Structure formats: structure tokens, C-alpha cells
CSV table of all heavy atoms in Angstrom, one decimal:
chain,number,residue,atom,x,y,z
A,274,MET,N,-16.4,-22.1,-6.4
A,274,MET,CA,-15.5,-21.7,-5.4
A,274,MET,C,-14.5,-22.7,-5.1
A,274,MET,O,-14.7,-23.9,-5.0
A,274,MET,CB,-16.3,-21.4,-4.1
A,274,MET,CG,-15.5,-20.9,-2.9
A,274,MET,SD,-16.3,-19.7,-2.0
A,274,MET,CE,-15.0,-19.2,-0.9
A,275,ASN,N,-13.2,-22.2,-5.0
A,275,ASN,CA,-12.1,-23.2,-4.9
A,275,ASN,C,-12.1,-23.7,-3.4
A,275,ASN,O,-12.3,-22.9,-2.5
A,275,ASN,CB,-10.8,-22.5,-5.1
A,275,ASN,CG,-10.6,-22.2,-6.7
A,275,ASN,OD1,-11.3,-22.8,-7.5
A,275,ASN,ND2,-9.8,-21.2,-7.0
A,276,THR,N,-11.7,-24.9,-3.3
A,276,THR,CA,-11.5,-25.4,-1.9
A,276,THR,C,-10.0,-25.5,-1.7
A,276,THR,O,-9.5,-25.6,-0.6
A,276,THR,CB,-12.1,-26.8,-1.8
A,276,THR,OG1,-11.7,-27.6,-2.9
A,276,THR,CG2,-13.6,-26.7,-1.8
A,277,THR,N,-9.2,-25.5,-2.8
A,277,THR,CA,-7.8,-25.5,-2.7
A,277,THR,C,-7.3,-24.3,-3.3
A,277,THR,O,-7.6,-24.0,-4.4
A,277,THR,CB,-7.2,-26.8,-3.4
A,277,THR,OG1,-7.6,-26.8,-4.7
A,277,THR,CG2,-7.5,-28.0,-2.7
A,278,THR,N,-6.7,-23.5,-2.4
A,278,THR,CA,-6.2,-22.2,-2.9
A,278,THR,C,-4.7,-22.3,-3.3
A,278,THR,O,-3.9,-22.8,-2.6
A,278,THR,CB,-6.2,-21.1,-1.8
A,278,THR,OG1,-7.6,-21.1,-1.3
A,278,THR,CG2,-5.8,-19.8,-2.3
A,279,PRO,N,-4.3,-21.9,-4.6
A,279,PRO,CA,-3.0,-22.1,-5.0
A,279,PRO,C,-2.0,-21.3,-4.1
A,279,PRO,O,-0.9,-21.8,-4.0
A,279,PRO,CB,-3.0,-21.4,-6.4
A,279,PRO,CG,-4.5,-21.6,-6.9
A,279,PRO,CD,-5.2,-21.5,-5.6
A,280,ALA,N,-2.4,-20.2,-3.6
A,280,ALA,CA,-1.6,-19.4,-2.8
A,280,ALA,C,-1.6,-19.9,-1.3
A,280,ALA,O,-1.1,-19.2,-0.5
A,280,ALA,CB,-2.0,-18.0,-2.9
A,281,GLY,N,-2.3,-21.0,-1.1
A,281,GLY,CA,-2.4,-21.5,0.3
A,281,GLY,C,-1.2,-21.9,1.0
A,281,GLY,O,-1.2,-22.2,2.1
A,282,ASN,N,-0.2,-22.1,0.2
A,282,ASN,CA,1.1,-22.5,0.8
A,282,ASN,C,2.0,-21.4,1.3
A,282,ASN,O,3.1,-21.7,1.8
A,282,ASN,CB,2.0,-23.3,-0.2
A,282,ASN,CG,1.4,-24.8,-0.3
A,282,ASN,OD1,0.8,-25.3,0.7
A,282,ASN,ND2,1.6,-25.4,-1.4
A,283,ARG,N,1.5,-20.2,1.3
A,283,ARG,CA,2.2,-19.1,1.8
A,283,ARG,C,2.6,-19.3,3.3
A,283,ARG,O,1.8,-19.5,4.1
A,283,ARG,CB,1.5,-17.7,1.6
A,283,ARG,CG,1.5,-17.2,0.2
A,283,ARG,CD,0.6,-16.0,0.2
A,283,ARG,NE,-0.7,-16.2,0.8
A,283,ARG,CZ,-1.6,-15.3,1.1
A,283,ARG,NH1,-1.3,-14.1,0.8
A,283,ARG,NH2,-2.7,-15.6,1.6
A,284,GLU,N,3.9,-19.2,3.5
A,284,GLU,CA,4.3,-19.3,4.9
A,284,GLU,C,4.4,-17.9,5.5
A,284,GLU,O,4.6,-16.9,4.7
A,284,GLU,CB,5.7,-19.9,5.0
A,284,GLU,CG,5.6,-21.4,4.5
A,284,GLU,CD,4.9,-22.3,5.5
A,284,GLU,OE1,4.8,-21.9,6.6
A,284,GLU,OE2,4.4,-23.4,5.0
A,285,HIS,N,4.3,-17.8,6.8
A,285,HIS,CA,4.5,-16.5,7.5
A,285,HIS,C,5.7,-16.6,8.3
A,285,HIS,O,5.6,-17.0,9.5
A,285,HIS,CB,3.3,-16.1,8.2
A,285,HIS,CG,2.1,-15.8,7.4
A,285,HIS,ND1,1.9,-14.6,6.8
A,285,HIS,CD2,1.0,-16.5,7.0
A,285,HIS,CE1,0.8,-14.6,6.1
A,285,HIS,NE2,0.2,-15.7,6.3
A,286,PRO,N,6.9,-16.4,7.8
A,286,PRO,CA,8.1,-16.6,8.5
A,286,PRO,C,8.3,-15.6,9.7
A,286,PRO,O,9.0,-15.9,10.6
A,286,PRO,CB,9.2,-16.4,7.5
A,286,PRO,CG,8.6,-15.5,6.4
A,286,PRO,CD,7.2,-15.9,6.4
A,287,VAL,N,7.6,-14.5,9.6
A,287,VAL,CA,7.7,-13.5,10.6
A,287,VAL,C,6.6,-13.8,11.7
A,287,VAL,O,5.5,-14.2,11.3
A,287,VAL,CB,7.5,-12.0,10.1
A,287,VAL,CG1,8.7,-11.6,9.2
A,287,VAL,CG2,6.3,-11.8,9.3
A,288,PRO,N,7.0,-13.6,13.0
A,288,PRO,CA,5.9,-13.8,14.0
A,288,PRO,C,4.8,-12.9,13.8
A,288,PRO,O,4.9,-11.8,13.2
A,288,PRO,CB,6.8,-13.5,15.3
A,288,PRO,CG,8.2,-13.5,14.9
A,288,PRO,CD,8.2,-13.2,13.5
A,289,LEU,N,3.7,-13.3,14.4
A,289,LEU,CA,2.4,-12.5,14.2
A,289,LEU,C,2.5,-11.3,15.0
A,289,LEU,O,1.6,-10.4,14.9
A,289,LEU,CB,1.2,-13.3,14.6
A,289,LEU,CG,1.0,-14.6,13.7
A,289,LEU,CD1,-0.3,-15.3,14.2
A,289,LEU,CD2,0.8,-14.2,12.3
A,290,LEU,N,3.6,-11.1,15.9
A,290,LEU,CA,3.7,-9.9,16.6
A,290,LEU,C,4.0,-8.7,15.7
A,290,LEU,O,3.7,-7.6,15.9
A,290,LEU,CB,4.8,-10.0,17.6
A,290,LEU,CG,4.6,-11.0,18.7
A,290,LEU,CD1,5.9,-11.2,19.6
A,290,LEU,CD2,3.5,-10.6,19.6
A,291,HIS,N,4.7,-9.0,14.6
A,291,HIS,CA,5.0,-8.0,13.6
A,291,HIS,C,3.7,-7.4,13.0
A,291,HIS,O,2.7,-8.1,12.8
A,291,HIS,CB,5.8,-8.6,12.5
A,291,HIS,CG,7.2,-8.6,12.7
A,291,HIS,ND1,8.1,-7.8,12.2
A,291,HIS,CD2,7.9,-9.4,13.6
A,291,HIS,CE1,9.4,-8.1,12.7
A,291,HIS,NE2,9.2,-9.0,13.6
A,292,THR,N,3.8,-6.2,12.6
A,292,THR,CA,2.7,-5.6,11.9
A,292,THR,C,2.6,-6.2,10.5
A,292,THR,O,3.5,-6.2,9.8
A,292,THR,CB,2.9,-4.1,11.8
A,292,THR,OG1,2.9,-3.5,13.1
A,292,THR,CG2,1.6,-3.5,11.1
A,293,ARG,N,1.4,-6.8,10.2
A,293,ARG,CA,1.3,-7.5,8.9
A,293,ARG,C,0.5,-6.6,8.0
A,293,ARG,O,-0.4,-5.9,8.4
A,293,ARG,CB,0.5,-8.8,9.1
A,293,ARG,CG,1.3,-9.9,9.8
A,293,ARG,CD,0.5,-11.1,9.9
A,293,ARG,NE,-0.8,-10.8,10.7
A,293,ARG,CZ,-1.8,-11.6,10.7
A,293,ARG,NH1,-1.9,-12.7,10.0
A,293,ARG,NH2,-2.9,-11.3,11.3
A,294,VAL,N,1.0,-6.5,6.8
A,294,VAL,CA,0.3,-5.8,5.8
A,294,VAL,C,-0.3,-6.9,4.8
A,294,VAL,O,0.4,-7.4,4.0
A,294,VAL,CB,1.1,-4.8,5.0
A,294,VAL,CG1,0.3,-4.1,3.9
A,294,VAL,CG2,1.7,-3.8,5.9
A,295,GLU,N,-1.6,-7.2,5.1
A,295,GLU,CA,-2.2,-8.2,4.2
A,295,GLU,C,-2.7,-7.6,3.0
A,295,GLU,O,-3.1,-6.4,2.9
A,295,GLU,CB,-3.3,-8.9,5.0
A,295,GLU,CG,-2.9,-9.6,6.3
A,295,GLU,CD,-2.1,-10.8,6.1
A,295,GLU,OE1,-1.8,-11.2,4.9
A,295,GLU,OE2,-1.6,-11.4,7.1
A,296,ARG,N,-2.8,-8.4,2.0
A,296,ARG,CA,-3.2,-7.9,0.7
A,296,ARG,C,-4.4,-8.8,0.2
A,296,ARG,O,-4.6,-10.0,0.6
A,296,ARG,CB,-2.1,-8.1,-0.4
A,296,ARG,CG,-0.8,-7.4,-0.2
A,296,ARG,CD,-1.1,-6.0,-0.4
A,296,ARG,NE,0.1,-5.1,0.0
A,296,ARG,CZ,0.1,-3.8,-0.2
A,296,ARG,NH1,-0.8,-3.2,-0.8
A,296,ARG,NH2,1.1,-3.1,0.2
A,297,CYS,N,-5.3,-8.0,-0.5
A,297,CYS,CA,-6.5,-8.8,-1.0
A,297,CYS,C,-6.1,-9.9,-1.8
A,297,CYS,O,-5.2,-9.8,-2.7
A,297,CYS,CB,-7.3,-7.7,-1.8
A,297,CYS,SG,-8.7,-8.5,-2.6
A,298,ASP,N,-6.7,-11.1,-1.6
A,298,ASP,CA,-6.4,-12.3,-2.3
A,298,ASP,C,-6.8,-12.2,-3.8
A,298,ASP,O,-6.4,-13.1,-4.6
A,298,ASP,CB,-6.9,-13.5,-1.7
A,298,ASP,CG,-6.2,-13.8,-0.4
A,298,ASP,OD1,-5.0,-13.5,-0.3
A,298,ASP,OD2,-6.9,-14.4,0.5
A,299,ARG,N,-7.7,-11.3,-4.1
A,299,ARG,CA,-8.2,-11.2,-5.5
A,299,ARG,C,-7.5,-10.1,-6.3
A,299,ARG,O,-7.3,-10.3,-7.5
A,299,ARG,CB,-9.7,-10.9,-5.4
A,299,ARG,CG,-10.5,-12.1,-5.0
A,299,ARG,CD,-10.4,-13.2,-6.0
A,299,ARG,NE,-11.2,-14.4,-5.6
A,299,ARG,CZ,-10.5,-15.4,-4.9
A,299,ARG,NH1,-9.3,-15.3,-4.7
A,299,ARG,NH2,-11.2,-16.4,-4.5
A,300,CYS,N,-7.2,-8.9,-5.7
A,300,CYS,CA,-6.7,-7.8,-6.5
A,300,CYS,C,-5.4,-7.3,-6.0
A,300,CYS,O,-4.8,-6.4,-6.6
A,300,CYS,CB,-7.8,-6.7,-6.7
A,300,CYS,SG,-8.1,-5.9,-5.1
A,301,GLY,N,-5.0,-7.7,-4.7
A,301,GLY,CA,-3.7,-7.2,-4.3
A,301,GLY,C,-3.6,-5.9,-3.5
A,301,GLY,O,-2.5,-5.5,-3.2
A,302,VAL,N,-4.7,-5.2,-3.4
A,302,VAL,CA,-4.5,-4.0,-2.7
A,302,VAL,C,-4.6,-4.3,-1.2
A,302,VAL,O,-4.9,-5.4,-0.8
A,302,VAL,CB,-5.8,-3.0,-3.0
A,302,VAL,CG1,-5.8,-2.7,-4.5
A,302,VAL,CG2,-7.1,-3.5,-2.5
A,303,SER,N,-4.4,-3.4,-0.3
A,303,SER,CA,-4.4,-3.6,1.1
A,303,SER,C,-5.8,-4.2,1.6
A,303,SER,O,-6.9,-3.7,1.2
A,303,SER,CB,-4.2,-2.3,1.9
A,303,SER,OG,-2.9,-1.8,1.6
A,304,ALA,N,-5.7,-5.3,2.3
A,304,ALA,CA,-6.9,-5.9,2.8
A,304,ALA,C,-7.6,-5.2,3.9
A,304,ALA,O,-6.9,-4.7,4.8
A,304,ALA,CB,-6.6,-7.3,3.2
A,305,LEU,N,-8.9,-5.1,3.9
A,305,LEU,CA,-9.6,-4.5,4.9
A,305,LEU,C,-10.4,-5.5,5.8
A,305,LEU,O,-10.9,-5.2,6.9
A,305,LEU,CB,-10.6,-3.5,4.4
A,305,LEU,CG,-10.1,-2.3,3.7
A,305,LEU,CD1,-11.2,-1.4,3.2
A,305,LEU,CD2,-9.2,-1.5,4.6
A,306,VAL,N,-10.5,-6.7,5.2
A,306,VAL,CA,-11.4,-7.7,5.8
A,306,VAL,C,-10.6,-9.1,5.9
A,306,VAL,O,-10.0,-9.4,4.9
A,306,VAL,CB,-12.7,-7.9,5.1
A,306,VAL,CG1,-13.5,-9.1,5.7
A,306,VAL,CG2,-13.5,-6.7,5.1
A,307,VAL,N,-10.6,-9.7,7.1
A,307,VAL,CA,-10.1,-11.0,7.2
A,307,VAL,C,-11.2,-12.0,7.3
A,307,VAL,O,-12.1,-11.8,8.1
A,307,VAL,CB,-9.1,-11.1,8.5
A,307,VAL,CG1,-8.6,-12.6,8.6
A,307,VAL,CG2,-8.0,-10.1,8.4
A,308,VAL,N,-11.2,-13.1,6.5
A,308,VAL,CA,-12.2,-14.1,6.5
A,308,VAL,C,-11.7,-15.3,7.1
A,308,VAL,O,-10.6,-15.9,6.6
A,308,VAL,CB,-12.7,-14.3,5.0
A,308,VAL,CG1,-13.8,-15.4,5.1
A,308,VAL,CG2,-13.2,-13.1,4.4
A,309,THR,N,-12.2,-15.8,8.1
A,309,THR,CA,-11.8,-17.1,8.7
A,309,THR,C,-12.8,-18.2,8.2
A,309,THR,O,-13.9,-18.1,8.5
A,309,THR,CB,-11.7,-17.0,10.2
A,309,THR,OG1,-10.9,-16.0,10.7
A,309,THR,CG2,-11.2,-18.3,10.8
A,310,LEU,N,-12.2,-19.1,7.6
A,310,LEU,CA,-13.0,-20.2,6.9
A,310,LEU,C,-13.3,-21.3,8.0
A,310,LEU,O,-12.5,-21.6,8.9
A,310,LEU,CB,-12.3,-20.9,5.8
A,310,LEU,CG,-12.0,-19.9,4.7
A,310,LEU,CD1,-11.1,-20.6,3.6
A,310,LEU,CD2,-13.3,-19.4,4.0
A,311,PRO,N,-14.5,-21.9,7.9
A,311,PRO,CA,-14.9,-22.9,8.9
A,311,PRO,C,-14.0,-24.1,8.9
A,311,PRO,O,-13.8,-24.8,9.9
A,311,PRO,CB,-16.4,-23.2,8.5
A,311,PRO,CG,-16.5,-22.7,7.1
A,311,PRO,CD,-15.6,-21.5,6.9
A,312,ALA,N,-13.5,-24.4,7.7
A,312,ALA,CA,-12.5,-25.5,7.6
A,312,ALA,C,-11.1,-25.2,8.0
A,312,ALA,O,-10.2,-26.0,8.0
A,312,ALA,CB,-12.5,-26.0,6.2
A,313,GLY,N,-10.9,-23.9,8.5
A,313,GLY,CA,-9.6,-23.4,8.8
A,313,GLY,C,-9.0,-22.6,7.6
A,313,GLY,O,-9.4,-22.8,6.5
A,314,GLY,N,-8.1,-21.8,8.0
A,314,GLY,CA,-7.4,-21.0,6.9
A,314,GLY,C,-8.1,-19.6,6.9
A,314,GLY,O,-9.2,-19.4,7.4
A,315,GLU,N,-7.4,-18.7,6.3
A,315,GLU,CA,-7.9,-17.4,6.2
A,315,GLU,C,-7.7,-16.8,4.8
A,315,GLU,O,-6.9,-17.2,4.1
A,315,GLU,CB,-7.1,-16.4,7.1
A,315,GLU,CG,-7.4,-16.6,8.6
A,315,GLU,CD,-6.6,-15.6,9.5
A,315,GLU,OE1,-5.7,-15.0,9.0
A,315,GLU,OE2,-7.2,-15.3,10.6
A,316,LEU,N,-8.7,-15.9,4.5
A,316,LEU,CA,-8.7,-15.1,3.3
A,316,LEU,C,-8.6,-13.7,3.6
A,316,LEU,O,-9.1,-13.3,4.7
A,316,LEU,CB,-9.9,-15.5,2.4
A,316,LEU,CG,-10.1,-16.9,1.9
A,316,LEU,CD1,-11.4,-17.1,1.2
A,316,LEU,CD2,-8.9,-17.3,0.9
A,317,HIS,N,-8.1,-12.9,2.7
A,317,HIS,CA,-8.1,-11.4,3.0
A,317,HIS,C,-8.6,-10.8,1.7
A,317,HIS,O,-8.3,-11.2,0.6
A,317,HIS,CB,-6.6,-11.0,3.1
A,317,HIS,CG,-6.0,-11.6,4.3
A,317,HIS,ND1,-5.3,-12.9,4.2
A,317,HIS,CD2,-5.9,-11.3,5.6
A,317,HIS,CE1,-4.8,-13.2,5.4
A,317,HIS,NE2,-5.2,-12.3,6.3
A,318,PHE,N,-9.5,-9.8,2.0
A,318,PHE,CA,-10.1,-9.0,0.9
A,318,PHE,C,-10.1,-7.6,1.2
A,318,PHE,O,-10.2,-7.1,2.3
A,318,PHE,CB,-11.6,-9.5,0.8
A,318,PHE,CG,-11.8,-10.9,0.3
A,318,PHE,CD1,-12.5,-11.9,1.0
A,318,PHE,CD2,-11.3,-11.3,-0.9
A,318,PHE,CE1,-12.7,-13.1,0.6
A,318,PHE,CE2,-11.5,-12.6,-1.4
A,318,PHE,CZ,-12.2,-13.5,-0.7
A,319,CYS,N,-10.1,-6.9,0.1
A,319,CYS,CA,-10.3,-5.4,0.2
A,319,CYS,C,-11.8,-5.2,0.4
A,319,CYS,O,-12.6,-6.2,0.4
A,319,CYS,CB,-9.8,-4.8,-1.1
A,319,CYS,SG,-10.8,-5.2,-2.5
A,320,GLY,N,-12.2,-3.9,0.6
A,320,GLY,CA,-13.6,-3.6,0.8
A,320,GLY,C,-14.4,-4.1,-0.3
A,320,GLY,O,-15.5,-4.7,-0.1
A,321,HIS,N,-14.0,-3.9,-1.5
A,321,HIS,CA,-14.8,-4.2,-2.7
A,321,HIS,C,-15.1,-5.7,-2.7
A,321,HIS,O,-16.2,-6.2,-2.8
A,321,HIS,CB,-14.0,-3.8,-4.0
A,321,HIS,CG,-14.6,-4.3,-5.2
A,321,HIS,ND1,-15.9,-4.0,-5.7
A,321,HIS,CD2,-14.1,-5.4,-6.0
A,321,HIS,CE1,-16.1,-4.7,-6.8
A,321,HIS,NE2,-15.1,-5.5,-7.0
A,322,HIS,N,-14.0,-6.5,-2.6
A,322,HIS,CA,-14.2,-8.0,-2.8
A,322,HIS,C,-14.8,-8.6,-1.6
A,322,HIS,O,-15.4,-9.6,-1.7
A,322,HIS,CB,-12.8,-8.6,-3.1
A,322,HIS,CG,-12.4,-8.4,-4.5
A,322,HIS,ND1,-11.3,-7.6,-4.9
A,322,HIS,CD2,-12.9,-8.8,-5.7
A,322,HIS,CE1,-11.3,-7.6,-6.2
A,322,HIS,NE2,-12.2,-8.4,-6.7
A,323,ALA,N,-14.6,-7.9,-0.4
A,323,ALA,CA,-15.4,-8.4,0.8
A,323,ALA,C,-16.9,-8.3,0.5
A,323,ALA,O,-17.6,-9.3,0.8
A,323,ALA,CB,-15.0,-7.6,2.0
A,324,ARG,N,-17.3,-7.3,-0.1
A,324,ARG,CA,-18.7,-7.1,-0.4
A,324,ARG,C,-19.2,-8.1,-1.4
A,324,ARG,O,-20.2,-8.7,-1.3
A,324,ARG,CB,-19.0,-5.7,-0.9
A,324,ARG,CG,-19.2,-4.7,0.3
A,324,ARG,CD,-19.8,-3.4,-0.2
A,324,ARG,NE,-18.9,-2.6,-1.1
A,324,ARG,CZ,-17.8,-1.9,-0.7
A,324,ARG,NH1,-17.7,-1.7,0.6
A,324,ARG,NH2,-17.0,-1.3,-1.5
A,325,VAL,N,-18.3,-8.3,-2.4
A,325,VAL,CA,-18.7,-9.2,-3.5
A,325,VAL,C,-18.8,-10.7,-3.0
A,325,VAL,O,-19.8,-11.3,-3.4
A,325,VAL,CB,-17.5,-9.2,-4.6
A,325,VAL,CG1,-17.7,-10.4,-5.6
A,325,VAL,CG2,-17.5,-7.9,-5.3
A,326,HIS,N,-18.0,-11.1,-2.1
A,326,HIS,CA,-18.0,-12.4,-1.6
A,326,HIS,C,-18.7,-12.6,-0.3
A,326,HIS,O,-18.9,-13.8,0.1
A,326,HIS,CB,-16.6,-12.9,-1.5
A,326,HIS,CG,-15.9,-13.0,-2.8
A,326,HIS,ND1,-16.2,-13.8,-3.9
A,326,HIS,CD2,-14.8,-12.2,-3.3
A,326,HIS,CE1,-15.3,-13.6,-4.9
A,326,HIS,NE2,-14.6,-12.6,-4.6
A,327,ALA,N,-19.1,-11.6,0.4
A,327,ALA,CA,-19.6,-11.7,1.8
A,327,ALA,C,-20.8,-12.6,1.9
A,327,ALA,O,-20.8,-13.5,2.8
A,327,ALA,CB,-20.0,-10.3,2.3
A,328,THR,N,-21.8,-12.5,1.0
A,328,THR,CA,-23.0,-13.4,1.1
A,328,THR,C,-22.6,-14.8,1.0
A,328,THR,O,-23.0,-15.7,1.9
A,328,THR,CB,-23.9,-13.0,0.0
A,328,THR,OG1,-24.3,-11.6,0.0
A,328,THR,CG2,-25.2,-13.8,0.1
A,329,ARG,N,-21.8,-15.1,0.1
A,329,ARG,CA,-21.4,-16.6,-0.1
A,329,ARG,C,-20.6,-17.1,1.1
A,329,ARG,O,-20.8,-18.2,1.5
A,329,ARG,CB,-20.6,-16.7,-1.4
A,329,ARG,CG,-20.0,-18.1,-1.7
A,329,ARG,CD,-21.2,-19.1,-1.9
A,329,ARG,NE,-20.6,-20.4,-2.2
A,329,ARG,CZ,-21.3,-21.5,-1.6
A,329,ARG,NH1,-22.3,-21.4,-1.0
A,329,ARG,NH2,-20.7,-22.7,-1.9
A,330,LEU,N,-19.7,-16.2,1.5
A,330,LEU,CA,-18.9,-16.6,2.7
A,330,LEU,C,-19.7,-16.8,4.0
A,330,LEU,O,-19.5,-17.8,4.7
A,330,LEU,CB,-17.8,-15.5,3.0
A,330,LEU,CG,-16.7,-15.4,1.8
A,330,LEU,CD1,-15.9,-14.2,2.0
A,330,LEU,CD2,-15.8,-16.7,1.9
A,331,LEU,N,-20.7,-16.0,4.2
A,331,LEU,CA,-21.5,-16.2,5.3
A,331,LEU,C,-22.4,-17.4,5.2
A,331,LEU,O,-22.6,-18.1,6.2
A,331,LEU,CB,-22.4,-14.9,5.5
A,331,LEU,CG,-21.6,-13.6,5.9
A,331,LEU,CD1,-22.5,-12.4,5.9
A,331,LEU,CD2,-20.9,-13.8,7.3
A,332,GLU,N,-22.8,-17.7,4.0
A,332,GLU,CA,-23.5,-18.9,3.8
A,332,GLU,C,-22.8,-20.2,4.2
A,332,GLU,O,-23.4,-21.2,4.7
A,332,GLU,CB,-23.8,-19.1,2.3
A,332,GLU,CG,-25.1,-18.3,1.8
A,332,GLU,CD,-25.4,-18.4,0.3
A,332,GLU,OE1,-24.6,-19.2,-0.4
A,332,GLU,OE2,-26.2,-17.7,-0.2
A,333,ILE,N,-21.4,-20.2,4.0
A,333,ILE,CA,-20.7,-21.4,4.3
A,333,ILE,C,-20.1,-21.3,5.7
A,333,ILE,O,-19.4,-22.2,6.1
A,333,ILE,CB,-19.5,-21.6,3.3
A,333,ILE,CG1,-18.5,-20.5,3.4
A,333,ILE,CG2,-20.0,-21.7,1.9
A,333,ILE,CD1,-17.2,-20.8,2.6
A,334,GLY,N,-20.5,-20.3,6.4
A,334,GLY,CA,-20.2,-20.2,7.8
A,334,GLY,C,-18.8,-19.5,8.2
A,334,GLY,O,-18.4,-19.7,9.3
A,335,ALA,N,-18.4,-18.8,7.2
A,335,ALA,CA,-17.1,-18.1,7.5
A,335,ALA,C,-17.4,-16.9,8.4
A,335,ALA,O,-18.4,-16.3,8.4
A,335,ALA,CB,-16.5,-17.6,6.1
A,336,ALA,N,-16.3,-16.5,9.1
A,336,ALA,CA,-16.3,-15.3,9.9
A,336,ALA,C,-15.5,-14.2,9.4
A,336,ALA,O,-14.5,-14.4,8.9
A,336,ALA,CB,-15.8,-15.6,11.3
A,337,LEU,N,-16.3,-13.0,9.2
A,337,LEU,CA,-15.6,-11.9,8.6
A,337,LEU,C,-15.3,-10.9,9.7
A,337,LEU,O,-16.2,-10.6,10.5
A,337,LEU,CB,-16.5,-11.3,7.5
A,337,LEU,CG,-16.5,-11.9,6.2
A,337,LEU,CD1,-17.2,-13.3,6.2
A,337,LEU,CD2,-17.3,-11.0,5.2
A,338,ARG,N,-14.2,-10.3,9.6
A,338,ARG,CA,-13.8,-9.3,10.6
A,338,ARG,C,-12.9,-8.2,10.0
A,338,ARG,O,-12.1,-8.6,9.0
A,338,ARG,CB,-13.3,-9.8,11.9
A,338,ARG,CG,-11.9,-10.5,11.7
A,338,ARG,CD,-11.4,-11.1,13.0
A,338,ARG,NE,-10.2,-12.0,12.8
A,338,ARG,CZ,-9.0,-11.6,12.6
A,338,ARG,NH1,-8.7,-10.3,12.7
A,338,ARG,NH2,-8.0,-12.5,12.4
A,339,SER,N,-12.9,-7.0,10.4
A,339,SER,CA,-12.1,-6.0,9.9
A,339,SER,C,-10.7,-6.2,10.4
A,339,SER,O,-10.4,-6.7,11.4
A,339,SER,CB,-12.7,-4.6,10.4
A,339,SER,OG,-11.7,-3.6,10.1
A,340,THR,N,-9.8,-5.8,9.6
A,340,THR,CA,-8.3,-5.8,9.9
A,340,THR,C,-8.0,-4.6,10.7
A,340,THR,O,-6.9,-4.4,11.2
A,340,THR,CB,-7.4,-5.9,8.7
A,340,THR,OG1,-7.7,-4.7,7.8
A,340,THR,CG2,-7.7,-7.1,7.8
A,341,LEU,N,-8.8,-3.6,10.8
A,341,LEU,CA,-8.5,-2.3,11.4
A,341,LEU,C,-8.7,-2.4,12.9
A,341,LEU,O,-9.5,-3.1,13.3
A,341,LEU,CB,-9.4,-1.2,10.8
A,341,LEU,CG,-9.2,-1.0,9.2
A,341,LEU,CD1,-10.2,0.0,8.8
A,341,LEU,CD2,-7.8,-0.7,8.9
B,428,ZN,ZN1,-9.8,-6.9,-3.8
């Protein structure tokens, strides 16, 4: 598991008030799950990849929530 994400430098120039369309960090489809990492930072996953990674993410103390 990466601790440094190559895409981690993405800036969000638009205020969070805007409707964001987040994409799965693995496959690029619309994200259904936002993962908040215990060390800070967020990941976004589609339903498929959320299931694939959920066990591992929960083990490290990440919080998963729906984007809906
Ligand atoms: Zn995906």
C-alpha cells in the first residue's frame, strides 16, 4: 500500500461549496465512497474498489462514508 500518492498533489481550486464530481482513484468512474485516512487526506473509490479495499482501510483506521 502506498503511503505517498502520486496524485496527492491535486489542488481543489474550486470552493467545496461547488458540487464536486469525485472519481475513483483506481479506475476513474464516479466515486461512491470517500475514505478519510487516519494520517489525513482522502481517497475516493467506486463501489467495486471500495469493497476491494474496505477491509484493509478499516484495519488502518480509515473512515469510509458514502458520497451520496
Ligand atoms: Zn474503481
